[in-house]
Amino acid sequence: MIPGELVEKGLMRRLPDGFDGNTCTYIFTWSKERPNKVWGMGSGCAPYYNTAHTEEANTKMVRTFDEDRFEIYAARDIEADEELTHTYISLEWRKCFSELNTIINGEQSATKPAAEAEAA
C-alpha cells in the first residue's frame, strides 16, 4: 500500500451509557471529551490493530464522531504481510492500556498525572 491509500473503512456502534471502556482493550474511545464517556465497538479488523508511536504507526485513523464511522489510511508504504498499527488516542490514560503505555511510551508517560494525560 502507498501513503494515503484507504486501508479500511467501517462503522462504530456506540455502547450504552454507563459502559466502562477502561476495562476492555477492544473498545474504542469515541469522543474527544475527557474524561471520556462515549465508547464504541468498531466494525471490521480495526479493533485488532496494534498501537505504535504516531511517528512509527503505518496507518492513521480518521474518526467522524457525529456520523459514527471511521476510515483508516496508510501513513507510509506498507509491505505485504506487515502488521497494521495505528496510535490509540487513549493509550496514555485508559486503565486497560497502562502496561502497554509503559512499553510504548516508557516510564515517564506511565507516571504522568491523570489530568495531563487526559489532555493529550
Side-chain angles (χ1 to χ4, degrees), residues 6 8-10 60-63 69-73:
L6 181 66
E8 179 176 2
K9 62 183 176 179
K60 174 156 179 55
M61 178 182 273
V62 176
R63 298 162 179 86
R69 64 181 181 83
F70 62 88
E71 295 174 340
I72 300 174
Y73 294 92

Side-chain angles (χ1 to χ4, degrees), residues 1-53:
M1 302 196 117
I2 59 171
E5 187 174 346
L6 181 66
V7 175
E8 179 176 2
K9 62 183 176 179
L11 301 173
M12 193 63 58
R13 182 179 156 271
R14 290 180 187 236
L15 297 173
D17 288 345
F19 183 88
D20 183 6
N22 284 301
T23 62
C24 182
T25 59
Y26 297 107
I27 300 301
F28 286 81
T29 303
W30 200 245
S31 85
K32 293 182 181 178
E33 178 184 37
R34 301 293 176 264
N36 185 65
K37 297 178 187 136
V38 183
W39 305 98
M41 184 64 188
S43 65
C45 295
Y48 306 104
Y49 288 30
N50 280 324
T51 194
H53 285 287

